[in-house]
Amino acid sequence: MAGLGFWELQTSTIQARQLSRYAQAIRFWVEPGANPSIRFPGPGPFDQRMGYSRLPAFLERLEAEGFVVERQARASPTLTALMDLGLFPIYREKNQTGLKVLDCRGRPLYAFDFPQRVYRNFAEVPPLVVAALLFIENRELLDTRYPYRNPAVEWDRLANAVLSRMVHLVAEDYPSPGGSTLATQMEKYRHSPGGRTDSAEEKVRQMVSASLRAYLHGNETLTARRQIVVDYLNTVPLAAAPGFGEVVGLGDGLWAWYGEDFDAVNARLRQAPQGPEELEAQARAFRQVLSLLIAQRRPSELLNGGRERLDSLTDSYLRLMAKEGVVEGALARTALRIRVVPRASAPLASPGSFLERKGADAARVKTARLLGVASLYELDRLDLTVETPLEGSLQNEVSEALRRLADPRYAREAGLLEPKLLARGDPSQVIYSFTLVERAAGANRVRVQADSIDQPFDVNEGAKLDLGSTAKLRTLVTYLELIAELHARYGALPPEALRKVEASPRDPLTRWALDYLGKAQDRSLPAMLEAALDRRYSASPHETFFTGGGLHRFENFRPEDDVRVVSVGEAFRDSINLPFVRLMRDIVHHVMFREPGSTARVLEDPIHPARAQYLSRFADREGREFVRRFYAKYRGKSPEEMLALLAQGVRPAPARLAAAFRAVAPEAGLEALEAFLAAHLPAGRAFDAAALYQAYAPGRYDLADQGFLAGVHPLELWVVEFLRRHPGASLGVTVEASREARQAVYQWLFRTRHKDAQDRRIWSLMEAEAFMEIHQRWRRLGYPFDALVPSYATAIGSSADRPAALAELMGILVNEGVRLPTVRLEALYFARATPFETRSAFQAPAGERVLPAEVAAAVRRALEDVVARGTGRRLPAALTLADGSVAALGGKTGTGDHRFEVYAAGGRLVESRIMGRAATFVFLIGDRYFGTVSAYVSGEKAKDYRFTSALPVQVLKLLLPVLERHLGATCPTAPARLLADTSAAALTPPGSGRNR
């Protein structure tokens, strides 16, 4: 029995037969649909980094966003039972994974391999590296005398480790070496919690898991043992290097810690040196490799600051290896003379061109947000393939075309150096963006997302730009939507009933609708919308508009338009400002007065009970703005600094300064007032401090009177006094505490003799409320921001926009008023070829109707007219696509300056500084494609440019040949690719093989 036991310990013959037979039942395969009994691994470092243990959380988040599990792995009962017993998942694990982003045809747009440098097979590993690794860690691993040996256990080492541990418990100074083989070490740093062995139970789990993994492919293990060497070298953890991050594997370790090329090191170690120089190079490479193999035991300590200890250990192993004949003496002696020092930070690697992967980067950002992953660094290390609807070849051609526009010579050849284009300014400073979306398979699929900024920032989705007259498109849609609502309300009434409808004289849209419906022969909605587009407005700039709480005047882009009276359609086609300002006024008045009753009577009746409510809300809103402003002015300052800053805003007169001082420092004594006046009055100015102290004593005047006497806003006095008493108060606390003060300051408004002042303020609130409704309408159609500027100027771009949001609006119009989901990610494919393999695909919900189809059709005709006869007429009216179909072109232009302006009293402009210039063309191509083209210059350099929206129109014209070659051809959607991929290689039935 002893002999049999010794033979089994040496050869593993019996356990090989039993374990290999058991391992044959360990299988997994993939089937359509979710697997309700799937098991996921625990939180081991390997499983965490690759995302396997986080898959349940990922899938839950994806489900909430409309993704469904299309197919998922199934495990054999044996594999499931082993995992339920607590063993690690048994399968052929990957050495290299990472994020991949694919286009709609399955071609790579982005790929990150982690680790980046690996051995593909055992033959690639230099014998010197194998010898060093086995000498340090596992000397019997590749012993060819025993083809069935279990690589998970070396019984003599294990027995020695157990005995040493027992002695160590009695004598703490006695060394306690580990007994782990390479196979169990990999189980530990891949799957054990924290990558550590914290109990005997954990050690047993590692050994059993490693044993079963070794016999997955039969009872002979020599091939498996060689693969263990490869796997270990490729995945051994080597701490984290500054500028690189987590270092895994020998190849990445050589680069991150020594700046050495992996292939070059392997070539030096594989070739016999022909002279002293080659021997020196080989010795240096070997010492670097050896130091990393030694450092893996305590990588953070030895590689980050433990240079002397690492040198000493490396020298010791070199002497031992030379003594044992593992390496030649000349190589060992040369290596002993050399010193290699781990770098303080990894070599800087080129990030590559962001231009080339703009669409892929947008997909990465979207994926990270979907999964709740904290960074792109973390995302790149997941075992994940992201399938996108982007069309790679078209994306690349558009990106290259946008990049070439920065070349002045090409810009000249392309006709860009003309008036209204780039006759002024440096072409290389202009940023271009382009988005193309296709309506396909019940969703809007983003085919191109490109820009010319060589940075991670995405102009299409991340910028808030003043896009000028593109706001006329949103305004036109809102106008026609309101007309459609009026048609729904009154369209069925006979003329005599229409004449009895009460309409406010301040509501021009309702009055027009009643008049039109009472006289029209064709009362259908399309006819009424066409008539609404024919309503005429003056383009005269000689009118002052009270809006946004003040008086404003507006200009047209072309002075020759000033004398015109044009229809809404003509104003839209030619992008004339003043008609749209007046149209927005009509829209706002309609929203304010469409319901005859209390709202209108508030302005007409000086004793209407609702007036007090409006005035109270105005006081609250206006007061909040002043409190915020004064809080920012005095935040973080000492009481003395606050007094000095307040005094700077008070006219230097004794009475005003005393009134201000007593209001904000009521507890201060006479001496403090005297010192304050002396410090802030002109030298030699006489004053009676005692009289002033009594005259402005606390309680004699309310807050409003105190502000009047001091000549400053009363709320400034309140904020200073509050912050002196509560120096650490936050803005929220300060605003909340000012509630009563805000109302008290505006009490004068509630007196009826101030009706005109009341009316102006009530009007401002009603207007703001009207813009809140308009904002909700815009938001329903994709407007990206949380508020609109409550001014008629919003009709001509003062509320800004985003190119991607405009594309979404165009999609609604192309889709006949139905809002379809915009697809930027088709599917996420996790953990391929593992027992956790899961493909989760986006399932587009049914579209939502957000506009009447008739409104969408009317706006589309107006957009096509812009290209046929208006500001987009440098484009052809139609394109012939790759499939031979002809598609009409339509769109809307817009130009905007972002300016910083300072005004003095009376509205006098004292400073105007341009901070950016943008021009956009939002377009449609037939009933299938739409998108945006934008040109943008940021910063004060924008003052050197005079380009208009003609620039993005010209850029689109340059891109049309590229688009014509690609558009019309079908790019497969995710379901189509799934069907193409459903093959024997993709879906392995349970009985067809072992452990795919």
Side-chain angles (χ1 to χ4, degrees):
M1 290 299 294
L4 179 63
F6 180 78
W7 173 76
E8 173 62 20
L9 294 180
Q10 286 287 100
T11 66
S12 304
T13 302
I14 298 174
Q15 59 187 295
R17 182 180 303 168
Q18 299 302 320
L19 289 175
S20 62
R21 185 180 301 164
Y22 194 76
Q24 287 181 7
I26 299 175
R27 302 191 306 273
F28 66 90
W29 60 95
V30 180
E31 290 183 4
N35 176 9
S37 60
I38 191 170
R39 304 294 196 273
F40 295 105
F46 180 93
D47 302 302
Q48 281 281 92
R49 184 199 317 124
M50 294 188 174
Y52 302 157
S53 59
R54 293 187 283 172
L55 263 171
F58 289 163
L59 296 176
E60 184 178 350
R61 293 178 66 98
L62 288 171
E63 184 180 2
E65 296 294 331
F67 285 76
V68 296
V69 174
E70 245 179 16
R71 62 190 189 196
Q72 198 166 41
R74 269 68 174 169
S76 65
T78 302
L79 177 54
T80 301
L82 290 173
M83 293 183 68
D84 288 343
L85 286 172
L87 294 186
F88 304 132
I90 310 302
Y91 66 102
R92 176 73 182 89
E93 294 178 309
K94 305 176 187 179
N95 285 339
Q96 190 178 47
T97 60
L99 180 71
K100 292 176 177 58
V101 180
L102 308 180
D103 77 349
C104 63
R105 301 182 191 280
R107 295 175 296 202
L109 296 171
Y110 174 86
F112 181 85
D113 293 322
F114 185 80
Q116 297 174 37
R117 304 157 185 86
V118 296
Y119 293 113
R120 301 295 172 187
N121 51 59
F122 185 77
E124 288 189 3
V125 186
L128 272 174
V129 175
V130 176
L133 174 63
L134 297 186
F135 184 82
I136 297 170
E137 298 291 347
N138 204 162
R139 299 183 186 181
E140 300 173 7
L141 179 65
L142 298 184
D143 192 336
T144 57
R145 294 175 299 169
Y146 307 112
Y148 309 122
R149 171 168 279 178
N150 183 354
V153 188
E154 288 188 0
W155 294 104
D156 51 348
R157 289 182 63 194
L158 180 62
N160 181 57
V162 172
L163 291 173
S164 299
R165 182 62 182 170
M166 295 172 63
V167 176
H168 177 76
L169 293 175
V170 179
E172 293 185 0
D173 293 338
Y174 190 83
S176 177
S180 296
T181 60
L182 289 180
T184 56
Q185 284 188 54
M186 284 196 295
E187 299 294 331
K188 175 183 67 175
Y189 67 65
R190 282 178 164 179
H191 304 298
S192 292
R196 295 183 176 88
T197 306
D198 54 10
S199 66
E201 181 184 358
E202 188 65 29
K203 173 58 70 177
V204 171
R205 181 160 69 150
Q206 295 166 7
M207 292 169 60
V208 176
S209 299
S211 298
L212 286 168
R213 203 182 306 277
Y215 290 104
L216 273 174
H217 299 288
N219 57 354
E220 292 189 5
T221 62
L222 186 57
T223 299
R225 284 181 273 159
R226 287 173 176 163
Q227 189 60 44
I228 286 171
V229 171
V230 177
D231 293 348
Y232 183 89
L233 291 171
N234 285 337
T235 62
V236 59
L238 293 171
F244 187 88
E246 183 182 10
V247 182
V248 168
L250 179 63
D252 280 5
L254 286 166
W255 172 256
W257 291 115
Y258 293 117
E260 292 288 353
D261 180 80
F262 186 45
D263 292 335
V265 168
N266 286 319
R268 293 185 203 119
L269 295 176
R270 197 175 286 112
Q271 296 173 357
Q274 300 300 313
E277 290 184 1
E278 290 187 9
L279 179 62
E280 176 98 5
Q282 187 181 66
R284 180 176 298 278
F286 184 67
R287 186 178 184 99
Q288 289 168 339
V289 168
L290 184 61
S291 68
L292 292 176
L293 296 178
I294 294 168
Q296 65 83 22
R297 297 182 179 183
R298 296 189 301 277
S300 296
E301 174 188 335
L302 295 174
L303 293 170
N304 286 294
R307 169 189 168 185
E308 293 181 0
R309 177 64 175 154
L310 183 59
D311 275 346
S312 175
L313 288 170
T314 306
D315 288 346
S316 297
Y317 272 99
L318 282 168
R319 295 187 187 100
L320 285 171
M321 293 172 76
K323 182 179 178 181
E324 296 288 335
V326 177
V327 298
E328 294 182 1
L331 176 61
R333 289 191 297 273
T334 305
L336 283 166
R337 294 198 306 268
I338 294 172
R339 287 293 174 263
V340 294
V341 181
R343 298 169 60 103
S345 61
L348 292 177
S350 171
S353 172
F354 292 107
L355 295 176
E356 296 173 0
R357 61 172 203 247
K358 190 67 66 168
D361 282 347
R364 291 166 69 213
V365 170
K366 178 73 172 175
T367 303
R369 290 174 181 165
L370 269 177
L371 300 180
V373 173
S375 65
L376 295 180
Y377 171 92
E378 185 180 345
L379 180 74
D380 282 347
R381 284 152 179 78
L382 297 179
D383 185 4
L384 172 62
T385 298
V386 176
E387 301 173 21
T388 76
L390 294 168
E391 191 164 355
S393 56
L394 178 57
Q395 171 89 18
N396 293 336
E397 288 191 51
V398 170
S399 296
E400 175 61 18
L402 296 182
R403 185 193 63 78
R404 292 179 65 194
L405 296 177
D407 183 351
R409 288 178 297 180
Y410 178 76
R412 182 178 299 278
E413 294 171 5
L416 298 183
L417 305 187
E418 298 177 0
K420 299 183 181 180
L421 302 180
L422 293 176
R424 294 181 55 179
D426 181 358
S428 68
Q429 298 299 307
V430 182
I431 298 167
Y432 299 97
S433 72
F434 180 84
T435 302
L436 180 71
V437 185
E438 180 184 7
R439 182 179 66 165
N444 295 329
R445 290 179 153 78
V446 178
R447 296 306 190 195
V448 178
Q449 187 161 347
D451 60 49
S452 64
I453 180 171
D454 195 10
Q455 295 178 17
F457 181 72
D458 181 8
V459 174
N460 289 292
E461 295 189 34
K464 182 176 184 178
L465 302 176
D466 291 319
L467 297 180
S469 291
T470 55
K472 294 186 178 82
L473 173 58
R474 295 195 185 275
T475 303
L476 181 67
V477 171
T478 301
Y479 166 61
L480 294 180
E481 184 182 17
L482 292 172
I483 296 298
E485 291 171 5
L486 288 167
H487 181 271
R489 186 171 185 177
Y490 300 118
L493 296 180
E496 56 273 15
L498 292 171
R499 287 192 289 270
K500 296 177 182 179
V501 174
E502 180 184 354
S504 170
R506 300 192 184 194
D507 178 6
L509 297 189
T510 299
R511 288 165 48 221
W512 176 85
L514 294 171
D515 182 67
Y516 171 83
L517 291 170
K519 299 176 181 178
Q521 296 297 316
D522 184 353
R523 300 177 67 182
S524 67
L525 178 55
M528 187 172 179
L529 293 174
E530 287 302 316
L533 285 170
D534 288 336
R535 290 181 66 237
R536 305 184 75 77
Y537 285 92
S538 168
S540 171
H542 306 300
E543 181 182 357
T544 302
F545 298 84
F546 181 77
T547 183
L551 296 173
H552 298 270
R553 299 186 70 173
F554 302 97
E555 298 177 349
N556 295 310
F557 180 74
R558 300 185 308 171
E560 55 266 35
D561 290 328
D562 293 352
V563 297
R564 297 177 65 186
V565 176
V566 295
S567 69
V568 173
E570 290 171 330
F572 183 76
R573 181 192 69 199
D574 297 334
S575 202
I576 307 174
N577 287 342
L578 267 299
F580 268 85
V581 171
R582 293 183 170 97
L583 177 61
M584 180 60 85
R585 179 173 61 184
D586 283 359
I587 292 171
V588 171
H589 288 188
H590 172 71
V591 174
M592 290 168 64
F593 297 106
R594 67 188 163 196
E595 297 295 339
S598 61
T599 302
R601 289 199 298 269
V602 168
L603 290 171
E604 298 164 359
D605 184 357
I607 61 172
H608 195 284
R611 291 180 77 87
Q613 298 174 15
Y614 270 103
L615 294 172
S616 178
R617 285 163 50 202
F618 174 83
D620 185 73
R621 189 190 71 171
E622 188 89 345
R624 283 174 181 268
E625 292 303 315
F626 279 107
V627 169
R628 289 190 181 98
R629 185 185 306 173
F630 297 135
Y631 179 87
K633 181 177 179 180
Y634 292 100
R635 176 183 54 188
K637 292 181 170 53
S638 68
E640 294 74 20
E641 291 171 331
M642 290 185 202
L643 283 173
L645 185 57
L646 176 64
Q648 293 176 14
V650 177
R651 187 158 60 87
R656 288 185 178 274
L657 287 169
F661 181 84
R662 293 292 274 150
V664 302
E667 77 291 347
L670 175 61
E671 295 79 6
L673 173 62
E674 192 168 9
F676 177 77
L677 293 174
H680 297 288
L681 285 171
R685 181 72 177 271
F687 57 86
D688 185 346
L692 292 170
Y693 190 80
Q694 292 298 324
Y696 299 107
R700 294 195 64 180
Y701 304 100
D702 61 22
L703 181 59
D705 289 339
Q706 287 175 327
F708 175 77
L709 293 169
V712 299
H713 197 289
L715 287 175
E716 183 169 9
L717 298 177
W718 184 91
V719 168
V720 173
E721 192 272 337
F722 181 79
L723 291 179
R724 282 170 56 83
R725 288 188 293 110
H726 306 89
S730 66
L731 174 60
V733 169
T734 304
V735 170
E736 182 61 28
S738 68
R739 183 186 300 273
E740 293 183 6
R742 298 198 304 270
Q743 294 295 321
V745 165
Y746 289 95
Q747 281 302 308
W748 63 273
L749 267 178
F750 292 81
R751 299 167 191 157
T752 56
R753 68 175 180 270
H754 295 293
K755 182 177 181 300
D756 289 343
Q758 289 180 349
D759 287 349
R760 285 195 297 273
R761 286 154 178 80
I762 291 172
W763 183 275
S764 294
L765 279 176
M766 288 182 170
E767 183 181 64
E769 290 173 348
F771 271 101
M772 290 175 65
E773 178 179 326
I774 295 169
H775 173 254
Q776 290 305 310
R777 291 174 180 270
W778 285 25
R779 285 283 280 181
R780 194 179 72 249
L781 302 177
Y783 184 71
F785 304 120
D786 293 332
L788 292 176
V789 177
S791 165
Y792 304 154
T794 285
I796 56 176
S798 67
S799 291
D801 218 321
R802 279 186 180 141
L806 284 168
E808 185 171 4
L809 171 60
M810 193 63 78
I812 293 170
L813 300 175
V814 167
N815 297 327
E816 299 179 342
V818 175
R819 184 176 187 173
L820 297 177
T822 299
V823 178
R824 290 179 171 83
L825 304 177
E826 296 271 21
L828 276 68
Y829 206 155
F830 298 94
R832 195 161 191 165
T834 75
F836 334 111
E837 180 171 331
T838 303
R839 187 177 189 274
S840 184
F842 181 71
Q843 189 173 64
E848 174 193 7
R849 178 161 295 285
V850 292
L851 279 179
E854 296 86 350
V855 170
V859 177
R860 282 194 59 176
R861 288 192 293 272
L863 290 166
E864 291 171 4
D865 198 33
V866 169
V867 171
R869 299 186 295 164
T871 54
R873 58 183 174 272
R874 66 175 61 223
L875 292 170
L879 296 181
T880 301
L881 306 184
D883 61 357
S885 62
V886 178
L889 263 171
K892 183 68 190 82
T893 56
T895 307
D897 281 345
H898 179 62
R899 292 180 177 270
F900 175 81
E901 296 183 333
V902 179
Y903 291 87
R908 180 170 54 88
L909 180 64
V910 296
E911 181 184 0
S912 178
R913 187 167 72 249
I914 190 168
M915 302 301 293
R917 187 173 182 85
T920 290
F921 184 63
V922 53
F923 63 87
L924 60 85
I925 303 174
D927 58 1
R928 184 171 164 187
Y929 299 98
F930 54 92
T932 60
V933 187
S934 297
Y936 175 59
V937 178
S938 63
E940 294 191 11
K941 62 178 177 288
K943 68 179 184 298
D944 299 328
Y945 295 82
R946 293 292 182 269
F947 62 77
T948 69
S949 53
L951 178 57
V953 173
Q954 180 67 17
V955 171
L956 180 59
K957 184 178 181 179
L958 295 173
L959 291 173
L960 289 183
V962 175
L963 299 180
E964 285 179 320
R965 288 199 302 272
H966 290 272
L967 302 192
T970 301
C971 206
T973 60
R977 286 198 303 276
L978 175 63
L979 291 173
D981 193 33
T982 303
S983 60
L987 303 178
T988 305
S992 66
R994 183 190 316 133
N995 206 312
R996 182 193 137 214

